[in-house]
């Protein structure tokens, strides 16, 4: 008999310091699809849904996928949006007849009403389907995983990579465990370990550094009997909530006392190496000096503005780095994105080749990364900012920057857009006539994901902190709800 599986995707990473609430339009801007549309657009890409469908096909499941919704990281999810996104799941759950539920969640959602958005989704789901029904979920390792999430789902599986390139594989892993749970082959639960920190020392990056060893350790633990999945979550620090920070999850057979030992072992390693930061954060002036001194023909120098990463809910409009690069008279360069819908709209009416003078960026929170920057440049591209990715993360997936323009200011092609996205795919420049591989200097807004597509074209990568909303100087943010003491806000923890 085929298993009946209900699935839904409701994904948001909420930066509680971002003053702009995330409403339904922000989900429409990224994607907000009913089941069949989601399967059409996302069912054969590097997505969790594709991994679920892979496993479902292999096991002959009947899958009812009711929604795929994600918004760019931003402020708290509005009550209206949260209730609207949940309703297809809750309606389908109430119909009954399910053998299991599969949820694609990010794990760091905060709503206007709930500090633990995912915990609330699961609490409501359980109230309808009861405590026993197998529930599996996938998470982004930038989840702030709460006790409620582990209490209400038997199986939780996070991506093992940052940049996140194993999204589909993670969907498949979680779905396989759901299958074994539905057949009665296994009886999993998930144990959580946590330390009082805002995030892992390197934001969870897995290309180099201590996470490489931790994941090797996790894979070795998973080879043991009764251990099914180990998730190492770097946490999401831009959330002023009680259950913030890194977690280690061990999904394994109920009653196995080794699960918590494994979780604690890995969590302790995250704590012990909390000072082992790999990035050296330059000031924008230092980054601009490196760009000025960069030799033409040496390949591309990539400068990442860590702090203004729209992928973590920064506004993406901080002009501090651009201003420093212009002051340093850097040439053959590109910069993107500047998220400024007003400027992007204004430029739609100009002709290609026109000279334009206007303020860009800095309009949301000048205290984080500077106020509007007045620039004069030549318009070289304008139109709808549609991108189809071709890199390891976004391959084949469509995204839109909304109204978009490229203004050549001095020697820098500046990408001005309306809808926030971090830079993680070369097509995000190429679609607008900018070839980053041919630029001496590529300045972009991203913390770590950019490496997947941009490292292959880079001769050198440097990272700066512009002081924008996702600054690593956490003392600049008004934390009120995180439990104290916590690292690194409270130095006495170092003793
Ligand atoms: Zn992530």
């Amino acid at each position: 008999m085929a298993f009946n599986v209900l699935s839904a995707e409701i994904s948001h990473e909420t930066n509680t310091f971002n003053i702009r609430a995330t409403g339904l339009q922000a989900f429409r801007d990224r994607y907000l699809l009913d089941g069949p549309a989601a399967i059409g657009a996302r069912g054969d890409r590097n997505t969790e849904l594709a991994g679920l469908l892979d496993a479902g096909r292999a096991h002959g499941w009947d899958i009812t996928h009711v929604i795929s919704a994600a918004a760019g990281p931003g402020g708290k999810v509005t009550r209206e949006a949260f209730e609207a996104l949940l309703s297809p799941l809750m309606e389908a759950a109430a119909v009954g007849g399910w053998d299991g539920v599969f949820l694609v969640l990010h794990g760091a959602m905060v709503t206007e009403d709930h500090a633990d958005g995912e915990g609330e989704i699961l609490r409501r789901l359980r109230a309808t389907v009861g405590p026993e029904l197998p529930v599996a979920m996938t998470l982004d390792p930038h989840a702030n995983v709460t006790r409620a999430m582990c209490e209400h789902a038997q199986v939780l599986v996070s991506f093992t990579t940052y940049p996140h390139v194993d999204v589909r594989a993670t969907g498949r892993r979680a779905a396989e465990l759901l299958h074994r749970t539905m057949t009665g082959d296994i009886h999993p639960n998930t144990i959580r370990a946590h330390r009082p920190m805002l995030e892992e020392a390197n934001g969870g990056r897995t290309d180099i550094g201590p996470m490489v060893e931790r994941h090797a350790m996790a894979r070795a633990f998973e080879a043991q009997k009764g251990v099914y999945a180990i998730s190492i979550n770097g946490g999401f620090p831009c959330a002023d909530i009680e259950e913030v920070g890194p977690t280690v999850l061990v999904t394994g057979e109920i009653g196995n006392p080794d699960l918590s030992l494994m979780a604690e072992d890995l969590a302790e390693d995250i704590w012990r190496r909390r000072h082992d930061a790999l990035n050296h954060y330059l000031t924008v002036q230092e980054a601009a000096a490196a760009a000025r001194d960069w030799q033409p023909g040496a390949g591309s120098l990539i400068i990442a503005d860590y702090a203004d990463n729209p992928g973590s809910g920064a506004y993406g409009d901080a002009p501090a780095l651009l201003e420093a690069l212009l002051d340093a008279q850097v040439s053959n360069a590109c910069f993107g994105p500047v998220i400024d819908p007003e400027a992007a709209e204004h430029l739609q009416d100009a002709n290609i080749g026109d000279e334009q003078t206007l303020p860009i960026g800095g309009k949301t929170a000048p205290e984080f990364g500077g106020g509007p920057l007045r620039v004069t440049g030549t318009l070289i591209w304008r139109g709808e900012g549609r991108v189809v990715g071709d890199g390891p993360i976004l391959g084949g997936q469509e995204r839109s920057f909304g109204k978009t323009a490229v203004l050549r200011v001095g020697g820098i092609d500046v990408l001005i857009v309306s809808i926030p996205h971090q830079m993680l795919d070369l097509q995000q420049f190429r679609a607008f006539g900018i070839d980053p591989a041919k630029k001496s200097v590529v300045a972009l807004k991203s913390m770590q994901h950019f490496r997947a597509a941009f490292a292959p074209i880079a001769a050198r990568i440097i990272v700066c902190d512009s002081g924008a909303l996702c600054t690593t100087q956490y003392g600049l943010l008004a934390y009120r709800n995180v439990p104290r003491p916590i690292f690194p806000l409270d130095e006495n923890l170092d003793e």
Side-chain angles (χ1 to χ4, degrees):
M1 192 192 73
F3 287 125
N4 280 316
V5 174
L6 169 62
S7 67
E9 171 179 13
I10 303 172
S11 177
H12 194 246
E13 182 181 76
T14 306
N15 182 328
T16 64
F17 298 105
N18 184 313
I19 56 176
R20 291 202 196 111
T22 300
L24 275 174
Q25 186 57 43
F27 285 90
R28 288 186 202 107
D29 285 346
R30 181 66 60 100
Y31 53 87
L32 174 49
L33 304 165
D34 64 16
I39 289 168
R42 304 180 52 75
D44 193 21
R45 300 282 185 260
N46 182 27
T47 62
E48 301 92 332
L49 175 60
L52 163 69
L53 297 175
D54 291 341
R57 263 190 306 274
H59 296 297
W61 294 355
D62 283 329
I63 297 175
T64 302
H65 185 66
V66 292
I67 185 172
S68 275
K76 289 181 187 176
V77 176
T78 64
R79 176 180 301 171
E80 183 207 14
F82 185 67
E83 300 301 332
L85 299 178
L86 231 64
S87 74
L89 172 64
M90 296 312 301
E91 280 167 26
V95 171
W98 307 110
D99 297 301
V101 178
F102 189 94
L103 298 177
V104 177
L105 305 175
H106 179 288
M109 180 191 288
V110 181
T111 77
E112 288 176 336
D113 301 314
H114 306 287
D116 175 12
E118 288 82 0
E120 179 64 15
I121 293 172
L122 288 158
R123 193 188 62 72
R124 293 195 200 177
L125 179 69
R126 281 293 178 207
T128 302
V129 302
E132 303 296 335
L133 189 74
V135 174
M137 58 196 259
T138 58
L139 293 169
D140 184 296
H142 297 108
N144 290 320
V145 181
T146 63
R147 287 178 285 265
M149 288 158 69
C150 298
E151 186 185 317
H152 293 307
Q154 292 94 334
V155 174
L156 294 87
V157 186
S158 302
F159 315 147
T160 62
T161 56
Y162 180 33
H164 306 327
V165 292
D166 66 332
V167 179
R168 184 174 190 158
T170 303
R172 216 180 289 131
R173 290 175 74 208
E176 286 296 337
L177 293 177
L178 179 62
H179 185 74
R180 293 173 64 193
T181 309
M182 292 188 298
T183 61
D185 172 34
I186 61 174
H187 311 85
N189 68 343
T190 296
I191 304 295
R192 168 187 181 273
H194 167 68
R195 292 293 181 277
M197 311 164 68
L198 291 175
E199 67 171 338
E200 192 267 343
N202 297 292
R205 74 183 285 189
T206 58
D207 51 339
I208 55 171
M211 284 295 260
V212 176
E213 293 162 40
R214 287 179 202 130
H215 275 291
M217 214 164 133
R219 301 295 85 77
F221 285 149
E222 284 168 353
Q224 296 182 26
K225 191 171 179 323
V227 183
Y228 308 131
I230 297 184
S231 302
I232 309 173
N233 301 301
F236 184 60
C238 310
D240 185 21
I241 56 170
E242 195 198 323
E243 292 181 274
V244 70
T247 52
V248 177
L249 310 179
V250 179
T251 299
E253 197 68 14
I254 290 175
N256 180 349
D258 294 341
L259 304 184
S260 90
L261 297 178
M262 293 172 196
E264 293 298 335
D265 250 16
L266 285 160
E268 188 56 28
D269 189 67
I270 291 174
W271 174 252
R272 199 170 47 77
R273 297 205 256 178
R274 63 192 177 279
H275 294 287
D276 292 3
L278 296 160
N279 279 338
H280 173 58
Y281 298 100
L282 303 175
T283 64
V284 294
Q285 285 76 21
E286 289 165 342
R292 184 195 57 217
D293 298 340
W294 189 249
Q295 297 299 317
S300 297
L301 170 69
I302 313 277
I303 306 173
D305 185 350
Y306 195 92
D308 201 26
N309 173 29
S312 308
Y315 301 114
D317 75 344
L321 176 60
L322 177 60
E323 186 172 17
L325 293 169
L326 289 169
D327 286 348
Q329 299 191 315
V330 172
S331 62
N332 192 27
C334 59
F335 183 97
V338 175
I339 295 157
D340 187 336
E342 201 183 330
E345 170 75 43
H346 176 81
L347 292 170
Q348 298 309 303
D349 298 330
N351 294 315
I352 301 299
D354 277 2
E355 191 174 277
Q356 293 285 317
T357 297
L358 74 169
I360 57 172
K363 292 168 184 167
T364 316
E367 67 276 25
F368 290 103
L373 178 66
R374 198 167 179 79
V375 295
T376 298
T378 307
L379 184 68
I380 59 174
W381 197 97
R382 55 155 164 63
E384 275 302 311
R386 182 176 174 273
V387 174
V388 178
D390 66 0
I393 296 176
L394 212 56
Q397 293 185 53
E398 189 176 334
R399 290 279 190 274
S400 176
F401 278 121
K403 286 187 175 136
T404 293
V406 179
L407 199 64
R408 182 166 292 161
V409 184
I412 306 176
D413 289 351
V414 182
L415 180 68
I416 302 168
V417 309
S418 302
I419 296 173
H421 293 284
Q422 73 172 303
M423 300 306 271
L424 44 71
D425 195 292
L426 298 176
Q427 287 300 327
Q428 289 173 297
F429 279 122
R430 285 189 173 147
F432 313 112
I434 301 168
D435 187 355
K438 296 206 171 93
K439 296 292 186 189
S440 290
V441 175
V442 177
L444 51 78
K445 299 185 180 187
S446 174
M447 290 177 172
Q448 170 71 5
H449 279 317
F450 72 95
R451 292 178 193 269
F454 287 82
I457 66 155
R460 187 181 174 211
I461 293 172
I462 57 178
V463 180
C464 76
D465 182 339
S466 63
L469 192 65
C470 294
T471 178
T472 56
Q473 304 160 62
Y474 295 114
L476 298 176
L477 299 169
Y479 285 97
R480 292 194 183 87
N481 302 315
V482 300
R484 307 300 282 262
I486 195 166
F487 180 82
L489 297 179
D490 299 300
E491 288 301 320
N492 56 332
L493 278 171
D494 285 357
E495 302 312 317

